[in-house]
Every structure is written in C-alpha cells, then in structure tokens.
Amino acid sequence: MGEFPLGTGTECGAQPQVLDADVEQPARRGGYVTDAGSSSDGTSLLPRGLLRAAGIAGCFLLLAAAVWLGARILFAVPVVLYAATAAILMAGLLEPLNERLVRWHLPRSLAALVCVLVVVLAVAGAFTFVVRRALSRMSDVADAAGDALTDLERLLTSPPISVPEATLDSVPGELVDRLRAWGQGAAVPATSVATEIVTGIVLALVLMFFLLKDGAAMWGWARTWAPERSRATADRVAVATWQTTTGYARGMVAVAAADAAGVGIGLFALGVPLAASLTLIVFLGAFVPIAGTFVAGVLAVAVTAATTGLWQGAVVLILVVAVQQLEGNVLQPLIMSRAVDLHAVVIILAVTTGALLGGVGGAAIAVPLVAVAYRAITVLRSEGTDAEAPRDPVDGEAPSGSSGS
C-alpha cells in the first residue's frame, strides 16, 4: 500500500484525498460529463437543460452551415447543376419506355438513344408547331392588334379618361427608343445566356443517355466506395430516392397538363386564333415554377386581347389568375406532396429558398433536391438498426469461442 500513504482522513473531519482512479473516471450526470463545468462537490455549475440546449443549438448551427456551404458550391456551377437535375428527372420519366424497349431485345445503348430522340422530337415538334401556327396567322394577328390598339386609343381619349392625343402619339416613339437602348445593353448578356442554354440542353441530353444506358453500372461503381457492411443500406437508399425522383417528374407532368387544360378550355371557348399554340406554351411553361406559368399567362392574355378584344383579354386574365391560384394552393401541394412525400409548407419553403439562391432555376430544382434528401434521411433512420447487424455475429462469437476453449 505504499502507493497511497495517506488515509482517507474521514476520521478527523479532513477532506478526502482525490485518488488517481477518481481523476480517470469523471462524473457523469444524465449521460453528460460534468467535470469540466462542475463545482468542487461534483455538481454542475450550469443547469442540465441549458447544457442540452447548447448542444442542440451547436449541432443546428453546424448543420445550417453545412447546408449553406453545400448550396453555394452547387449553385457556383448552375449550368451543370440544372443540366444534371433535368437529366435525372427526364431519365426517371422515360425509364418505363427504356425498360420496355430493352424487354423487346433492343440493346441498352439503342434503347437509350431512342428515348433521347423522343425528347428531342417532342420538344422540337412542339416549338415547330408553335412557330408555324404563329407565322401562318401573323397577318390576322397584326390586323387584329391594329384594331385593338385603335379601340384602346379611342377608349383612352374619350371621357371620363380623356388622355390628350399628343401624349398618346409620343408613346410609340419613346417605347421604341427605350427598347433600342435596352437591346444594346442586353446584347452581350443575351448572347451569354443563349450559349449557356444551348450548353445546358446538350449536356442534359448526354447525361440522360448515359443514365438510361449505364445507370445500373454507374450505381454499381458508386456503391463500391461505401463500406461493405453498408452497401445493403446504400442500395435501399438509392431505390427510395429514385422512386421519389420518378414520382416528382410524373407529378410535374400532371400539374402542367392540368394548367394547360384549364387555360386551353377558356381559349378555345373564346375563339382565340392561336388557342392550340398558347395551350402548348402554357403546358411547357408550367415546368418552370413561378416564372414559366406567369410568362405563358401574360402571353395568352396579350394575344387574346390583340386578336379578339379587350374584354376577352380580361376574361383570359381572370382565368389565368384562377389557374395559377389553383396550381399554387391545390395542385402543387396535393399532387406534389403525394409524389414526393413532403408537406405543402415544406414545398413552399423549398421553392422560395431555391428562388432566392438561384432564381428561376433554383426554384425549379429545389423541391426534388429537398425531397430526395428527406427520403434518404428517412431510409437511413429506419435502417439504423440494420446497419449495426453485421457487428452482432462478431459480438456473439467471443462468448461461444471462450466457452468452447
């Protein structure tokens, strides 16, 4: 006992000596080590609730910083981000067609190429249809627009508005001058934007081709980076997130079809000359949240007012606003929340945050990114116990081995 020459000192009222064993085993209270913030009697100087709140707040700040940094890194290369997201969504939408072609004994490369051609022909055919219809009715639209402007001028110059004619005569010249100045200042940015759009379209088509052709092989290579005991969980996460991606893509098609049907019925009922073209534009615009539907609606109102009259244009305006409210408050939360398993509030917050970070493109990809991340976290939480399963036999082998020795 020469290692501890002093007694405990309790017999004469002295304070007990702190032994090495006491130093090596700090006191624990409620699962937390309290020696760093403890008083001399071992009790914590801070309330346990405050320590728990500080830990939670610190973890939340670290998570928020990681999310912010990740978003900044992603949006630093927006063309690549948007093209990759579009390729994944289109691949998920066309996966049934690709698999059916493969079952018909087409090589995977040829099946993927057919899917790419379907997308190219669909988009090119849609734009060709719109342009040809517009050009074929250009003279009628111009005459109708002239008559509409005459009616508008008569309305503005007559009581009770009574705008001076000299003021109206100066408007076209000022408008032309402002458009010319804006065009000169936006010539270089417009060229840059056009280049980025073409680059993004080509990159998206190439990525979609390889996802359809080699998607399984690409995932097989990616899963080798995970530890062997975690690969089963990684497979389940991949399947769940892919189901979420395909659900989102199909939900967007359903929302776009509903928007086009609502506006198109009104345009055909009013006898608008370019009703079919405008309906198709509304359908395509619905794939771009907020801005796409707004621009398509404004175009429909302008064409209707110019070709059929101001009152018909007002009716279309009311119809477009009603369809947008229906989409934002009913269709998007109902269809998309079922497709991506997200609450309507989460979808609204995701779209708003994406728009603030990346504009229209950020709003378009925010919901699928959040949905995939949420689905992956859900699967990981549910698979937490299974992730520990590979270690159970190892723990059970020691007692059996020792008993047999």
Side-chain angles (χ1 to χ4, degrees), residues 122-136:
V123 176
F127 279 104
T128 302
F129 174 79
V130 171
V131 172
R132 290 187 62 182
R133 294 277 298 182
L135 292 178
S136 64

Side-chain angles (χ1 to χ4, degrees), residues 336-355:
M336 299 309 298
S337 61
R338 290 182 178 180
V340 300
D341 195 21
L342 291 177
H343 193 272
V345 174
V346 178
I347 293 177
I348 294 173
L349 292 176
V351 171
T352 304
T353 305

Side-chain angles (χ1 to χ4, degrees), residues 108-287:
R108 281 202 167 268
S109 57
L110 183 57
L113 181 60
V114 170
C115 292
V116 173
L117 291 178
V118 167
V119 173
V120 173
L121 292 177
V123 176
F127 279 104
T128 302
F129 174 79
V130 171
V131 172
R132 290 187 62 182
R133 294 277 298 182
L135 292 178
S136 64
R137 303 299 298 271
M138 187 61 66
S139 58
D140 297 337
V141 173
D143 295 339
D147 296 338
L149 290 176
T150 302
D151 295 339
L152 179 61
E153 182 179 359
R154 186 182 302 111
L155 177 65
L156 293 176
T157 55
S158 61
I161 303 177
S162 301
V163 177
E165 294 185 3
T167 302
L168 294 178
D169 294 338
S170 63
V171 170
E174 294 179 359
L175 182 60
V176 171
D177 294 338
R178 292 185 180 182
L179 289 176
R180 183 181 295 110
W182 175 83
Q184 292 176 353
V188 176
T191 304
S192 176
V193 170
T195 302
E196 291 183 357
I197 291 176
V198 173
T199 303
I201 291 175
V202 174
L203 180 59
L205 293 175
V206 172
L207 292 177
M208 185 184 72
F209 171 79
F210 283 107
L211 285 174
L212 293 174
K213 174 180 175 291
D214 299 325
M218 293 168 64
W219 171 245
W221 172 82
R223 71 190 297 272
T224 59
W225 290 82
E228 186 174 356
R229 64 181 183 180
S230 302
R231 290 177 184 175
T233 301
D235 290 335
R236 286 187 282 268
V237 170
V239 171
T241 53
W242 183 250
Q243 291 175 349
T244 299
T245 302
T246 55
Y248 176 82
R250 294 165 187 170
M252 282 301 300
V253 172
V255 171
D259 289 349
V263 176
I265 291 173
L267 294 176
F268 280 105
L270 293 172
V272 179
L274 299 177
S277 300
L278 293 174
T279 301
L280 182 57
I281 292 175
V282 172
F283 175 78
L284 297 176
F287 287 94

Side-chain angles (χ1 to χ4, degrees), residues 18 45 78 162 164 185 222 265 268 303 357 398:
V18 178
L45 295 176
S162 301
I265 291 173
F268 280 105
V303 172
L357 290 176

